[in-house]
Amino acid sequence: MASIPTRFDVIVVGAGPAGSAAAYLLAKKGFSVLLVERGKGLGDKNMFGGKVYAQPIREVWPELDKEAPIHRWVTKERISMVDGEKVFTVEYRTEKKVSFVTYLTQLTQWMIKKAEGAGALLASEVTVEEILMKDNKVVGIRSGPDVIEADAVIDAEGINRLLLERLGLVKKLDPDTVGLGVKEVLKVGESNIESRFGLDKKEGLAWAIVGDVTKGIPGGGFIYTNKDTVSMGLVLHLSKKLIDEGSFESHVSSLIEGFRLHPYFKPYWKDAIISEYGGHLTITDAIKFAPSKFAYPGLLIAGDAAGLLLSLGYTFRGVDYAVYSGKLAADAIEYARNNGGVSYENLQVYDDYIRKSFMYEEIMRHRGAITLMNSFELMSRYPKLLTKVMEKMFEADYKHEVIYNSLIQALKEEGISPFNLISQAFMMVKGI
Amino acid sequence: MRIVVGMKWVPGTTSVRIDPKTGTLIREGVPSIVNPHDMPAVELSLQLKDKYKGEVIAISMAPPPALKGLEYLIGMGVDRGILVSDRAFAGADTLATSYVIAKTIEKINREIGKVDLVVFGQETIDSSTAHIGAQTASWLNWPYIYYVHDAKFVDSKFVVERVLEDAVEEWEVELPAIIATHMKALKPRPVRLINKIRYKVEKPIMTWTNAELKLDPRCIGLKGSPTIVSKTVNVPEVPRKKIVYTPKSGEDAAKWIIETLMKDDKASKVLMKYLSMEGEVQ
Ligand SMILES: Cc1cc2nc3c(=O)[nH]c(=O)nc-3n(C[C@H](O)[C@H](O)[C@H](O)COP(=O)(O)OP(=O)(O)OC[C@H]3O[C@@H](n4cnc5c(N)ncnc54)[C@H](O)[C@@H]3O)c2cc1C
């Protein structure tokens, strides 16, 4: 019998995109790696689709395009503004393989297989209960009665940071920094998807919806075309205020139902059955959510746990950011090994890597977006204004209004001054 | 002592749906799990090992995905797993299944070491026959006790407690024996990290095909299965009316139930029918 190891070079907590990428690269670089995941079937349950940006992931897995479970490459991006039954939609088409649609769990499974293939030891169905400290340094983990030691621990536990909370490194989840995502998967069928959304084989559509599909709650809707299903849902920005009002829970199911039955969207999933549904938290305010440092003695924080998610309202970048931060964590540990060992001085490069990365720069650059996403203007007024302009331009039995007058009239009816519109539009463009 | 525990890899019923057209299970996308009623059997086996030393071997006749289930049991503390897997075993009813399992136990007896006890769960959630324990005992000609919730040695005698509706019986059993646990007998222990690491490092799993077991093809799989499901009738779910009434007394409750049922067209007809039948009997 081989002896059972109780010490590894690196322990990675959480086999999401961040943890799997870090484990994969470290194992490939020759480190002994323990990857611990509390989930059971490694995502055979949670099959929701999302849009994933490819390039940062290709830096870890150049074989991504060929091997990964990619449902469709996004060739169409749509944005709709909704006011009641009125809808204003813009669409952009591209041929470039920038982002793709997939079931996130299939993609994660693929990443985990890669990590295991490279030699990382995956222990699933096991919850890490504690990250262990000794003399102000992280030395390992505990699960039940079992203690496993390591030179470094990568915390990739996702948005619900119970372990970091327990260490006192982050505060309890602040509702103002997160949103609730609710999703449904509708079995539309491959050929229906292609004919209804006007897509070719392997082509996909990503659709962001703003306006009163969320009935005044900041956030928005999304629709993604998977291979033979459509994922649709809402992201609702939480806030202490909303939760205190207590009306949140009853809202959610009726909101998503309202979205599903909306006359503009309904035909896309005509006759489809709901095959899955569920909810998950997501980061809405990355800067407030982030821990004060990304590297601590013996500990690196990656992915959602590090607050690395870009939410622009029309696009989410969480998966590729998670993978890329996992890569930076692996780079930092390799740097430490090559420079005399996994000391805190050496591990600190990770903090630098993150702060100088495109991810952090992007999050800082777009920090205005969050204020905007939470603003009443974007959520309610502008969709109303735009649909009103359209109404004045198109809904004429005999006489059509000139565009300029349509706008002025709509502004008047909505009580928005042209000056405010211009300054806010400027802020919006600058913010996003 | 050497204990063999049986495990079935079944579709998780909470998510199983029936195709209303064909009346068959929709298996697509339904994640499988260890049959929950096998868990007390595993727990009892592990408790016996904790007390009396020895080893616990989990066996499962199933296609390869059931390895996940064996991994789970090894995570709980089972020493090793044997997956009995061959296309030739497919389509088996309980008779053919118990035959393969009995032969597997004989092979363990011969090649790994003497088996003292075999433990099964009460029944499976996907077929609920409760046949396997009894049939395996018949093949092996070993004693069999059902509804077990505890077992221990008392003065070198193996004593098994079996729960019935209104009594608990104690049986002295000669080993080797087969027992099946009551579904609520024991709460299973959680998976441990160290066992999971051991699983990955030592890979304590064997797969036995019919090349190893060498069983007569007429006794296994579809050919060895005299049971045939000739027809299934799909009973559609009746939507609940969700009426809540808080009665003042038992009498009031009975009165209210009768009145409410009589107000309902369908229910009143059924009720009247039974009431008139009752009259005939008298
Ligand atoms: C509704 C919604 C829609 C989204 N859409 C998109 C999208 O379209 N595109 C996109 O790029 N991103 C999207 N995201 C964000 C994306 O899902 C996340 O950013 C990404 O999954 C983060 O990866 P991660 O590895 O950091 O964390 P996670 O994927 O959350 O993984 C963390 C893992 O750690 C495990 N874990 C946690 N604690 C423990 C513990 N104590 N012990 C053991 N294991 C533990 C968990 O089980 C989990 O598997 C969306 C998120 C939501 C909620």
Side-chain angles (χ1 to χ4, degrees):
Chain A
M1 270 196 207
S3 72
I4 306 167
T6 55
R7 186 175 179 88
F8 289 79
D9 294 334
V10 183
I11 296 170
V12 182
V13 182
S20 307
Y24 166 75
L25 288 172
L26 286 164
K28 225 175 85 168
K29 293 176 203 287
F31 291 91
S32 67
V33 180
L34 174 66
L35 174 61
V36 190
E37 167 58 44
R38 71 170 168 210
K40 233 185 180 0
L42 302 177
D44 43 26
K45 224 164 110 195
N46 196 351
M47 307 244 287
F48 297 127
K51 181 178 81 168
V52 178
Y53 281 79
Q55 195 53 30
I57 304 179
R58 290 189 189 114
E59 288 197 36
V60 176
W61 290 290
E63 65 272 36
L64 179 86
D65 294 24
K66 253 196 249 147
E67 287 183 18
I70 290 166
H71 284 210
R72 295 169 181 277
W73 286 96
V74 174
T75 54
K76 278 189 185 175
E77 296 271 7
R78 266 188 206 166
I79 300 177
S80 287
M81 297 214 165
V82 179
D83 176 38
E85 308 216 325
K86 297 194 194 99
V87 182
F88 174 77
T89 299
V90 285
E91 180 171 307
Y92 172 74
R93 187 177 188 281
T94 174
E95 293 263 329
K96 225 177 132 198
K97 291 183 166 181
V98 176
S99 64
F100 58 89
V101 196
T102 184
Y103 287 157
L104 293 180
T105 45
Q106 284 179 1
L107 183 66
T108 309
Q109 270 176 30
W110 180 80
M111 292 173 180
I112 293 172
K113 286 253 158 63
K114 286 277 169 187
E116 281 198 281
L121 194 154
L122 170 73
S124 58
E125 304 173 301
V126 175
T127 303
V128 174
E129 281 155 52
E130 201 183 345
I131 291 176
L132 296 172
M133 300 266 285
K134 207 173 140 191
D135 304 329
N136 287 322
K137 183 184 178 304
V138 166
V139 291
I141 57 159
R142 183 184 64 76
S143 169
D146 302 324
V147 168
I148 308 290
E149 293 179 320
D151 294 337
V153 172
I154 297 176
D155 185 304
E157 65 180 315
I159 191 167
N160 205 359
R161 302 177 291 192
L162 298 178
L163 296 172
L164 292 182
E165 266 177 43
R166 220 161 289 164
L167 280 180
L169 296 181
V170 299
K171 291 209 189 71
K172 248 184 121 54
L173 195 72
D174 171 5
D176 286 324
T177 62
V178 296
L180 176 66
V182 281
K183 303 201 207 180
E184 291 183 353
V185 178
L186 305 163
K187 267 208 144 136
V188 175
E190 201 167 338
S191 65
N192 277 342
I193 286 179
E194 281 149 19
S195 59
R196 291 179 192 175
F197 291 91
L199 299 167
D200 217 330
K201 286 242 165 301
K202 287 256 151 199
E203 286 187 355
L205 171 129
W207 196 343
I209 295 107
V210 284
D212 67 2
V213 281
T214 58
K215 296 277 175 290
I217 299 174
F222 56 82
I223 296 169
Y224 301 112
T225 57
N226 305 312
K227 185 163 181 287
D228 54 2
T229 62
V230 170
S231 301
M232 53 83 74
L234 301 167
V235 173
L236 304 165
H237 290 207
L238 295 171
S239 63
K240 287 194 191 76
K241 194 169 144 272
L242 265 176
I243 291 170
D244 289 345
E245 280 167 10
S247 50
F248 206 80
E249 247 171 78
S250 60
H251 263 147
V252 176
S253 56
S254 64
L255 282 182
I256 194 157
E257 173 125 348
F259 178 23
R260 182 168 15 85
L261 299 177
H262 191 284
Y264 181 67
F265 299 105
K266 200 170 64 176
Y268 287 100
W269 38 76
K270 187 170 168 282
D271 296 331
I273 58 157
I274 303 172
S275 65
E276 316 238 352
Y277 56 88
H280 197 278
L281 289 178
T282 186
I283 300 167
T284 52
D285 190 339
I287 295 170
K288 267 200 213 149
F289 188 85
S292 52
K293 287 192 288 181
F294 300 104
Y296 292 88
L299 178 72
L300 304 180
I301 306 170
D304 269 8
L308 294 168
L309 184 134
L310 184 69
S311 158
L312 297 179
Y314 61 89
T315 238
F316 281 104
R317 297 188 67 159
V319 174
D320 65 316
Y321 276 35
V323 167
Y324 199 79
S325 66
K327 170 186 148 41
L328 294 183
D331 288 348
I333 289 173
E334 187 185 32
Y335 169 88
R337 177 179 67 181
N338 296 343
N339 288 277
V342 188
S343 64
Y344 182 41
E345 289 72 51
N346 283 337
L347 276 187
Q348 262 174 330
V349 295
Y350 178 62
D351 210 88
D352 242 36
Y353 288 175
I354 293 283
R355 282 175 213 278
K356 286 189 184 132
S357 69
F358 76 95
M359 305 179 288
Y360 198 72
E361 274 178 14
E362 282 286 286
I363 288 171
M364 294 308 275
R365 216 155 57 85
H366 296 285
R367 62 179 176 271
I370 173 71
T371 329
L372 208 86
M373 288 293 297
N374 281 332
S375 76
F376 177 69
E377 266 68 27
L378 186 76
M379 285 308 118
S380 298
R381 275 187 135 168
Y382 291 141
K384 224 181 197 124
L385 181 70
L386 269 167
T387 50
K388 203 148 232 171
V389 173
M390 292 296 132
E391 181 191 318
K392 303 225 174 286
M393 285 167 64
F394 292 110
E395 289 187 17
D397 290 330
Y398 296 105
K399 287 179 170 175
H400 292 263
E401 195 51 86
V402 293
I403 296 179
Y404 175 77
N405 284 348
S406 305
L407 180 63
I408 295 299
Q409 275 180 27
L411 280 170
K412 219 184 245 163
E413 282 170 34
E414 285 306 304
I416 302 171
S417 83
F419 174 75
N420 266 350
L421 176 72
I422 293 166
S423 70
Q424 275 171 349
F426 179 72
M427 253 181 58
M428 192 160 133
V429 173
K430 203 177 132 213
I432 296 181
Chain B
M1 66 194 304
R2 180 168 290 102
I3 303 168
V4 171
V5 63
M7 184 275 285
K8 188 172 181 191
W9 189 237
V10 297
T13 36
T14 48
S15 40
V16 163
R17 282 165 298 148
I18 306 282
D19 185 331
K21 284 190 199 115
T22 61
T24 52
L25 279 184
I26 302 175
R27 290 202 174 227
E28 186 202 350
V30 179
S32 288
I33 54 170
V34 174
N35 172 41
H37 303 328
D38 292 343
M39 286 301 193
V42 177
E43 180 57 33
L44 181 62
S45 306
L46 292 173
Q47 287 186 9
L48 287 170
K49 181 190 128 174
D50 290 344
K51 268 193 235 159
Y52 307 114
K53 303 285 179 290
E55 75 166 338
V56 178
I57 303 172
I59 60 171
S60 189
M61 186 187 101
L67 279 173
K68 289 280 331 160
L70 291 174
E71 176 182 340
Y72 189 88
L73 302 192
I74 290 166
M76 287 170 71
V78 163
D79 296 276
R80 50 175 142 176
I82 299 172
L83 180 73
V84 185
S85 191
D86 199 310
R87 278 179 180 279
F89 301 147
D93 65 3
T94 58
L95 187 76
T97 304
S98 62
Y99 180 69
V100 173
I101 288 174
K103 291 294 164 185
T104 303
I105 292 164
E106 282 177 356
K107 188 173 158 74
I108 295 172
N109 227 350
R110 276 196 313 272
E111 294 172 14
I112 296 177
K114 193 175 163 304
V115 174
D116 299 294
L117 184 70
V118 179
V119 190
F120 291 106
Q122 177 174 322
E123 59 188 48
T124 55
I125 57 167
D126 66 338
S127 51
S128 302
T129 65
H131 289 176
I132 297 297
Q135 288 179 346
T136 307
S138 305
W139 288 115
L140 294 173
N141 209 10
W142 289 2
Y144 174 61
I145 311 251
Y146 189 45
Y147 288 137
V148 171
H149 78 162
D150 199 12
K152 54 180 172 289
F153 281 99
V154 180
D155 305 331
S156 78
K157 286 203 179 87
F158 195 62
V159 177
V160 171
E161 266 184 33
R162 134 195 173 93
V163 264
L164 299 174
E165 250 164 61
D166 50 3
V168 175
E169 296 175 349
E170 275 193 13
W171 290 78
E172 270 180 40
V173 191
E174 224 173 278
L175 298 181
I178 299 192
I179 59 178
T181 48
H182 185 271
M183 62 165 84
K184 294 200 176 118
L186 297 159
K187 197 171 164 283
R189 61 192 66 189
V191 160
R192 272 182 62 176
L193 175 56
I194 199 77
N195 293 333
K196 280 287 190 157
I197 295 175
R198 174 179 165 261
Y199 173 83
K200 286 290 164 76
V201 174
E202 292 182 0
K203 305 206 170 56
I205 293 265
M206 286 187 276
T207 300
W208 288 353
T209 64
N210 205 31
E212 281 87 24
L213 282 168
K214 299 190 183 66
L215 304 179
D216 187 332
R218 285 170 305 180
C219 301
I220 58 174
L222 203 55
K223 273 205 192 119
S225 299
T227 326
I228 292 162
V229 179
S230 58
K231 192 183 169 195
T232 56
V233 181
N234 185 25
V235 184
E237 205 175 318
V238 182
R240 309 259 161 202
K241 296 236 164 94
K242 292 183 190 147
I243 311 170
V244 178
Y245 178 72
T246 315
K248 293 170 202 76
S249 63
E251 208 173 312
D252 180 40
K255 203 167 148 244
W256 181 84
I257 290 172
I258 301 287
E259 274 174 11
T260 312
L261 288 176
M262 289 307 287
K263 268 186 236 150
D264 184 284
D265 258 9
K266 263 197 202 153
S268 62
K269 270 188 204 130
V270 175
L271 198 64
M272 287 311 286
K273 195 176 137 203
Y274 279 96
L275 285 174
S276 61
M277 271 165 59
E278 189 76 357
E280 280 160 28
V281 175
Q282 281 169 3

